[in-house]
Amino acid sequence: YNGPDVDGLPVGANVPGFHGSFVSPKVIDPAVVDANNLNAIPPSPEGGKAMIAWDPAGGGNISGSNFTIDVNGSYDIWAYIDPTPGLVEQWNIGLAGTADYWAQNNLFLNANGSSGVSWIFTRSASASALSLVDHGPGGPYSSWVTFGTIDLTNAAPGWRRLSIALSGTTVTGRLDMTEITGTTQADILGNFYIGYREDNAGVPAGLRPPTIDAVSVAPALVIAANPPLSGANPYEPGQPYRDVLDTGTGMTVTRGIGAAGTPPQGPIQYSPILVTYSAPPSPAPTVGNVTISCTRPTCPSVASVTALAGMVFEISLSGAIPPLGCTTLTLPVGQKVQYRSQPGNVNLDSAANTQDLLTLVQRINDGSANIPANLARYNVDRGGGVNTQDLLRLVQLLNGVNTTQVFSGQAVDPCPP
């Protein structure tokens, strides 16, 4: 379930497909204050209108879908979260069960009959947090299983990507790129539900009841990488990035794409590899689902995959990609990132040879070799700058001195489709 599409409905209308214990969910214009929307907020990343679920008279209210979420189902929505401490309110958004009919606040009553799995947001006078909880079949707060809690006390108010997915007995919850997992019983079934309870004097204008919007489901695509994707390759547009610099000083490759400790050259980072997605990928890349293949030995393995901020994943390899080959990283859903290594071929023609020495001399003399954007092409020894030491190292690479092989006259493999 990807949330309600309410943009075509009038403000104040009941949201079709939902019911409420006291008041059904309403359509709001987030930027306009009215009886249902007590303070103005920006529209969600989807733009337009949104849904709010509460009883403007105050107290508690639950809302539920008139449809069930399938076994092994999920939801993925935009939710506006205001964690600013001060007011006291709590909501939960869940599936495969139902919200407590009165949306009792477990913080004070130690009683809440919700069932299934939900994200629970709590805001109090001094703190705010979001917890992924298994309510089981319903019962007192003490019977719940909390899979994990995210402290939001110092977070800024705003729209956040919120999701829960069930697969067999596995529960996966995400707040943006922060993921929490847990284990529940198999084959649980119920609707998509929202519970809300505020505990304040009167009905303060600063309340932010559950406010959600639909997520447009588009494939999460790899849009950038470092080293760059072929479309952003600054030296060979449209071609897999080619590393032409030093392999290290012995028979083992210790420098290059994937080799830990390889220093960046200008804007090009060699290790770890950074991959940026257009949206949260599902499934997200892991060591278990990112595969690597090489056209030459010895192919490194995927050592770790780490989610960073902003849809970025950091992929560390066990070593450098092999020289003169094409290395392919295949990510979930079949997307590929490809790199090649051809030490010494600084003029980027078919093979490294003495013409590369001439090119490097010319670029040193005209000063362009030391422009930061050009370091990844001309700083052959990966040292502090491009100078005569790079000419010496290029001669060694061409002749196979203090490196893995003779590179003069050697072509690099094409990348498979």
Side-chain angles (χ1 to χ4, degrees), residues 145-169:
V145 176
T146 300
F147 297 132
T149 297
I150 303 169
D151 184 3
L152 298 177
T153 304
N154 296 314
W159 288 96
R160 310 292 293 268
R161 189 81 173 260
L162 192 69
S163 69
I164 296 177
L166 303 178
S167 178
T169 60

Side-chain angles (χ1 to χ4, degrees), residues 245 263-266 360 363-364 367-372 374-393:
L245 305 184
Q265 300 298 325
L360 186 54
R363 299 293 80 81
I364 291 174
S368 61
N370 276 297
I371 295 173
N374 288 336
L375 292 176
R377 184 169 175 180
Y378 299 118
N379 194 16
V380 177
D381 67 357
R382 303 185 194 268
V386 185
N387 50 44
T388 55
Q389 291 300 308
D390 295 282
L391 287 169
L392 173 61
R393 186 56 182 153

Side-chain angles (χ1 to χ4, degrees), residues 89-187:
E89 55 185 342
Q90 178 183 39
W91 51 250
N92 66 326
I93 302 177
L95 77 168
T98 184
D100 180 84
Y101 191 77
W102 289 88
Q104 298 173 90
N105 191 328
N106 61 280
L107 287 176
F108 300 101
L109 302 179
N110 192 29
N112 187 303
S114 296
S115 58
V117 180
S118 77
W119 280 110
I120 296 183
F121 171 73
T122 56
R123 174 160 71 145
S124 69
S126 59
S128 296
L130 185 72
S131 299
L132 184 63
V133 172
D134 184 356
H135 304 281
Y141 167 62
S142 58
S143 69
W144 295 356
V145 176
T146 300
F147 297 132
T149 297
I150 303 169
D151 184 3
L152 298 177
T153 304
N154 296 314
W159 288 96
R160 310 292 293 268
R161 189 81 173 260
L162 192 69
S163 69
I164 296 177
L166 303 178
S167 178
T169 60
T170 300
V171 180
T172 303
R174 287 197 183 100
L175 175 69
D176 299 328
M177 294 302 292
T178 300
E179 181 177 293
I180 296 175
T181 60
T183 301
T184 188
Q185 68 186 71
D187 300 328

Side-chain angles (χ1 to χ4, degrees), residues 12-406:
N14 290 341
V15 176
F18 281 84
H19 58 270
S21 56
F22 294 100
V23 177
S24 294
K26 302 293 185 183
V27 179
I28 63 167
D29 180 339
V32 176
V33 175
D34 61 23
N36 296 308
N37 187 41
L38 300 185
N39 52 84
I41 60 174
S44 81
E46 296 294 323
K49 301 169 187 173
M51 178 179 112
I52 197 165
W54 74 309
D55 179 355
N61 189 74
I62 72 125
S63 305
S65 65
N66 297 337
F67 52 88
T68 57
I69 302 291
D70 292 341
V71 173
N72 294 331
S74 64
Y75 73 75
D76 184 6
I77 60 174
W78 289 109
Y80 191 90
I81 300 178
D82 185 352
T84 309
L87 299 178
V88 179
E89 55 185 342
Q90 178 183 39
W91 51 250
N92 66 326
I93 302 177
L95 77 168
T98 184
D100 180 84
Y101 191 77
W102 289 88
Q104 298 173 90
N105 191 328
N106 61 280
L107 287 176
F108 300 101
L109 302 179
N110 192 29
N112 187 303
S114 296
S115 58
V117 180
S118 77
W119 280 110
I120 296 183
F121 171 73
T122 56
R123 174 160 71 145
S124 69
S126 59
S128 296
L130 185 72
S131 299
L132 184 63
V133 172
D134 184 356
H135 304 281
Y141 167 62
S142 58
S143 69
W144 295 356
V145 176
T146 300
F147 297 132
T149 297
I150 303 169
D151 184 3
L152 298 177
T153 304
N154 296 314
W159 288 96
R160 310 292 293 268
R161 189 81 173 260
L162 192 69
S163 69
I164 296 177
L166 303 178
S167 178
T169 60
T170 300
V171 180
T172 303
R174 287 197 183 100
L175 175 69
D176 299 328
M177 294 302 292
T178 300
E179 181 177 293
I180 296 175
T181 60
T183 301
T184 188
Q185 68 186 71
D187 300 328
I188 55 177
L189 188 66
N191 65 356
F192 172 79
Y193 62 82
I194 302 173
Y196 177 70
R197 164 70 63 172
E198 61 84 22
D199 292 276
N200 301 278
V203 184
L207 292 176
R208 176 45 54 191
T211 305
I212 69 173
D213 199 6
V215 168
S216 294
V217 181
L221 302 176
V222 176
I223 57 173
N226 201 345
L229 300 173
S230 57
N233 186 343
Y235 308 123
E236 299 177 282
Q239 297 296 316
Y241 181 78
R242 187 169 13 165
D243 182 11
V244 300
L245 305 184
D246 202 355
T247 62
T249 57
M251 295 300 294
T252 302
V253 181
T254 58
R255 291 290 182 269
I257 297 172
T262 301
Q265 300 298 325
I268 306 298
Q269 175 173 315
Y270 295 93
S271 180
I273 296 167
L274 300 178
V275 175
T276 303
Y277 281 87
S278 60
S282 181
T286 66
V287 171
N289 63 21
V290 176
T291 61
I292 186 168
S293 60
C294 307
T295 60
R296 302 242 180 167
T298 300
C299 201
S301 60
V302 177
S304 66
V305 179
T306 304
L308 306 179
M311 315 299 176
V312 178
F313 287 80
E314 181 183 271
I315 301 175
S316 295
L317 304 182
S318 61
I321 68 172
L324 302 181
C326 176
T327 297
T328 300
L329 290 167
T330 302
L331 304 163
V333 200
Q335 297 183 83
K336 296 179 179 179
V337 179
Q338 295 181 310
Y339 299 112
R340 297 189 293 177
S341 172
Q342 192 180 26
N345 191 12
V346 297
N347 67 1
L348 298 172
D349 62 3
S350 60
N353 51 43
T354 55
Q355 291 300 308
D356 295 287
L357 287 168
L358 175 61
T359 297
L360 186 54
V361 168
Q362 292 172 334
R363 299 293 80 81
I364 291 174
N365 288 337
D366 67 18
S368 61
N370 276 297
I371 295 173
N374 288 336
L375 292 176
R377 184 169 175 180
Y378 299 118
N379 194 16
V380 177
D381 67 357
R382 303 185 194 268
V386 185
N387 50 44
T388 55
Q389 291 300 308
D390 295 282
L391 287 169
L392 173 61
R393 186 56 182 153
L394 180 52
V395 170
Q396 292 177 330
L397 291 173
L398 294 176
N399 290 285
V401 177
N402 292 329
T403 186
T404 58
Q405 66 181 84
V406 172

